[in-house]
């Protein structure tokens, strides 16, 4: 694959806390090193500063922490600005070698650094006695007996923290206009509907569209959508958003329903989908030994990572299987000398039924399973040295993948 021949690349960023955000920053630095540009800002700014060129991102898809980075990029902020928002004191971390002269669009304003109070806003609403106490007595569990029933009956707090501070940070400090339609690029934010099994895609849709599995919603502001996507249970409470009818619906982490949403980018015309994710299970290393010696947190993370990796690998294999099947069928029809008209008709039916997009290529970027340091890094640390190390990991992982393709 020749990267420069791709005219409509898109960037898909998954979740995983601040750790994932730092990894994505490193990936973006590598992409820029290879010649990619990140379009963003208002429509007029995108037209003026980012004409239709190859290797220019104009579609961003984000889940959880990935939705925050996607929003920064779609709003027109340079990578240096994003680094300074996450990794303060860059002169002491060695990240300055990645810096270039900033290319700003629109009425530029520097990003206010993210703080722990922005990320871990206490869920104050649930702590108010008049709101909390009635829940103990009015909301009764339908299951009786056992430890689970006891917990359900007595633990009605829906999350220790709230995403309200992140929503306010984006609304007041990041976004010039808080509407998807005001952006000159495509931004899609993925969330999961709490009281349903449906994945929700927030974006600039002309109308509400939904089926059993996916809802494409147009009623959220950008900051609301990101707050909903980043509400990771059980630490963060589900985030409520009023729909077009004024009814409050609750959403939580976009990674719950689907780990990667590369199909969103492909469905909106991308011919190259680059997906970045920081989740990678630990593989045995003699220097570290077995995770059984590191306690419950490490074992829990490994179990979670294994579940997520299986979902991602299944998603990638499904794409590969469809492509191989279609190529095999086409080869067979050609081998038996089926008339071209009939062959094309059969292939059209098969491609339509499988939703196969032959023009789309995919690149998946993730840490190495041998990188045990990446596995053990804290998911929510804002320590500049830690974040810099994670960003460098993302840079190396991306460069390793991108070197396999010509520019």
């Amino acid at each position: 694959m020749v990267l420069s021949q791709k005219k409509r690349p898109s960037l898909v960023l998954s979740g995983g806390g601040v750790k994932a955000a730092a990894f994505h920053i490193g990936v973006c630095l590598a992409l820029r090193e290879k010649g990619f540009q990140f379009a963003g800002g208002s429509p007029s700014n995108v037209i003026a500063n980012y004409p239709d060129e190859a290797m220019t991102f104009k579609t961003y898809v984000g889940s959880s922490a990935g939705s925050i980075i996607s929003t920064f990029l779609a709003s027109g902020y340079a990578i240096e600005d994003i680094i300074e928002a996450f990794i303060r004191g860059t002169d002491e971390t060695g990240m300055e070698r990645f810096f270039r002269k900033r290319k700003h669009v629109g009425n530029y304003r520097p990003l206010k650094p993210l703080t722990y109070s922005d990320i871990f806003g206490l869920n104050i609403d649930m702590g108010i006695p008049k709101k909390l106490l009635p829940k103990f007595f009015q909301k009764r569990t339908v299951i009786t007996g056992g430890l689970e029933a006891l917990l359900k009956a007595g633990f009605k707090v829906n999350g220790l923290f709230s995403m309200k501070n992140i929503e306010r940070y984006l609304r007041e400090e990041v976004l010039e206009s808080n509407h998807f339609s005001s952006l000159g690029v495509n931004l899609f934010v993925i969330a999961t509907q709490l009281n349903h099994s449906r994945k929700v895609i927030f974006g600039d849709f002309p109308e509400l569209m939904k089926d059993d599995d996916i809802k494409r919603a147009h009623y959220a502001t950008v900051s609301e959508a990101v707050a909903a996507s980043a509400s990771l249970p059980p630490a963060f409470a589900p985030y409520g958003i009023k729909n077009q009818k004024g009814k409050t619906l609750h959403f939580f982490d976009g990674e719950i329903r689907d780990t990667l949403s590369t199909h969103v980018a492909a469905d909106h015309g991308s011919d190259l989908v680059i997906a970045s994710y920081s989740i990678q299970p630990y593989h045995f290393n003699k220097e570290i030994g077995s995770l059984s010696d590191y306690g419950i947190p490490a074992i829990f993370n490994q179990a979670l990572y294994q579940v997520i990796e299986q979902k991602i690998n299944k998603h990638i294999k499904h794409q590969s299987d469809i492509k191989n099947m279609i190529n095999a069928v086409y080869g067979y029809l050609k081998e038996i000398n089926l008339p071209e008209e009939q062959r094309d008709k059969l292939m059209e039916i098969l491609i339509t039924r499988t939703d196969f997009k032959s023009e789309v290529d995919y690149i998946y970027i993730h840490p190495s399973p041998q990188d045990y340091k990446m596995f053990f890094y804290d998911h929510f640390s804002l320590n500049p040295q830690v974040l810099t190390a994670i960003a460098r990991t993302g840079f190396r992982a991306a460069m390793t993948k991108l070197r396999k393709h010509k520019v």
Side-chain angles (χ1 to χ4, degrees):
M1 175 175 48
V2 180
L3 298 177
S4 58
Q5 292 180 354
K6 293 297 182 177
K7 305 298 182 183
R8 301 179 304 279
S10 61
L11 188 61
V12 179
L13 305 179
S14 71
V18 178
K19 179 178 178 179
F23 183 83
H24 297 327
I25 289 172
V27 169
C28 289
L29 286 167
L31 289 168
R32 190 179 67 179
E33 192 77 10
K34 296 295 288 187
F36 283 93
Q37 297 185 84
F38 302 87
S42 67
S44 60
N45 287 325
V46 171
I47 292 173
N49 292 280
Y50 301 96
D52 290 331
E53 298 177 358
M55 301 180 71
T56 300
F57 293 111
K58 292 186 177 180
T59 297
Y60 302 96
V61 180
S63 295
S64 194
S67 69
I68 297 176
I69 302 298
S70 295
T71 298
F72 287 152
L73 294 170
S75 300
Y77 288 95
I79 299 176
E80 284 80 7
D81 298 312
I82 302 173
I83 290 173
E84 290 177 355
F86 278 89
I87 307 173
R88 290 167 291 176
T90 51
D91 290 339
E92 299 176 2
T93 62
M95 289 296 288
E96 67 275 3
R97 74 183 186 88
F98 291 112
F99 282 21
R100 294 181 180 176
K101 186 177 180 180
R102 291 163 172 74
K103 181 180 180 181
H104 299 302
V105 296
N107 298 321
Y108 167 73
R109 56 176 176 174
L111 279 173
K112 174 181 174 289
L114 268 168
T115 65
Y116 285 113
S117 63
D118 293 319
I119 299 171
F120 295 102
L122 289 175
N123 188 11
I124 298 174
D125 288 347
M126 288 303 298
I128 299 175
K130 68 177 182 180
K131 291 187 177 182
L132 181 60
L133 292 177
K135 294 182 180 292
F136 282 99
F137 302 103
Q138 295 176 4
K139 301 289 185 180
R140 295 186 177 182
T141 180
V142 296
I143 301 176
T144 58
L147 177 61
E148 182 181 356
L150 179 64
L151 291 173
K152 287 181 178 179
F155 196 72
K156 294 295 198 312
V157 177
N158 63 1
L160 299 176
F161 305 103
S162 166
M163 276 290 145
K164 288 184 178 180
N165 286 4
I166 279 287
E167 189 280 329
R168 182 172 62 248
Y169 170 83
L170 293 171
R171 173 167 37 87
E172 296 180 355
E173 304 294 342
V174 177
L175 297 159
E176 286 189 31
S177 177
N178 201 6
H179 302 284
F180 287 94
S181 59
S182 67
L183 299 171
V185 295
N186 292 320
L187 173 63
F188 301 102
V189 175
I190 313 301
T192 305
Q193 190 168 333
L194 175 63
N195 297 309
H196 205 282
S197 57
R198 185 186 285 136
K199 175 167 80 172
V200 182
I201 305 170
F202 290 110
D204 182 24
F205 299 106
E207 59 183 359
L208 179 68
M209 297 172 281
K210 61 182 178 180
D211 53 36
D212 291 339
D213 297 322
I214 299 176
K215 176 163 67 175
R216 295 167 178 82
H218 64 312
Y219 48 74
T221 63
V222 176
S223 61
E224 288 175 336
V226 173
S229 179
S231 296
L232 175 66
F236 295 90
Y239 195 86
I241 299 175
K242 288 187 177 181
N243 65 8
Q244 74 281 6
K245 296 180 180 179
K247 179 182 178 181
T248 298
L249 301 179
H250 288 87
F251 305 90
F252 56 8
D253 197 286
E255 300 284 82
I256 299 296
R257 182 64 172 77
D258 276 330
T259 302
L260 289 178
S261 292
T262 54
H263 73 90
V264 177
D267 290 344
H268 287 84
S270 294
D271 58 2
L272 172 62
V273 180
I274 298 179
S276 170
Y277 59 96
S278 63
I279 300 298
Q280 177 61 56
Y282 165 80
H283 287 198
F284 182 83
N285 181 290
K286 289 184 178 180
E287 184 177 350
I288 297 300
S290 172
L291 291 181
S292 63
D293 298 327
Y294 290 85
I296 292 175
I299 296 172
F300 174 81
N301 283 343
Q302 177 75 345
L304 180 63
Y305 282 16
Q306 288 175 341
V307 171
I308 294 174
E309 183 193 41
Q310 185 217 23
K311 290 171 65 178
I312 293 174
N313 288 344
K314 185 176 180 181
H315 165 80
I316 295 173
K317 186 177 184 299
H318 176 69
Q319 291 175 330
S320 177
D321 287 346
I322 290 178
K323 182 177 181 179
N324 292 336
M325 177 191 67
I326 288 176
N327 289 338
V329 171
Y330 180 81
Y332 173 74
L333 296 178
K334 194 173 182 179
E335 181 181 330
I336 64 175
N337 295 318
L338 190 72
E340 184 177 356
E341 183 179 349
Q342 295 182 34
R343 185 174 70 224
D344 291 345
K345 184 61 177 178
L346 286 172
M347 293 307 299
E348 180 184 348
I349 294 173
L350 184 59
I351 289 172
T352 300
R353 292 290 180 88
T354 58
D355 196 26
F356 177 68
K357 297 177 176 61
S358 59
E359 74 283 2
V360 184
D361 287 308
Y362 299 85
I363 297 176
Y364 296 92
I365 300 171
H366 59 88
S368 166
Q370 281 72 43
D371 189 349
Y372 61 85
K373 290 183 179 179
M374 182 64 182
F375 176 84
F376 281 100
Y377 283 134
D378 194 294
H379 287 83
F380 291 98
S381 173
L382 289 176
N383 180 286
Q385 283 70 37
V386 171
L387 294 181
T388 298
I390 296 172
R392 285 175 173 163
T393 299
F395 181 86
R396 289 194 301 268
M399 291 300 289
T400 299
K401 287 284 186 179
L402 296 171
R403 287 193 186 106
K404 299 177 180 179
H405 306 285
K406 297 179 180 178
V407 177

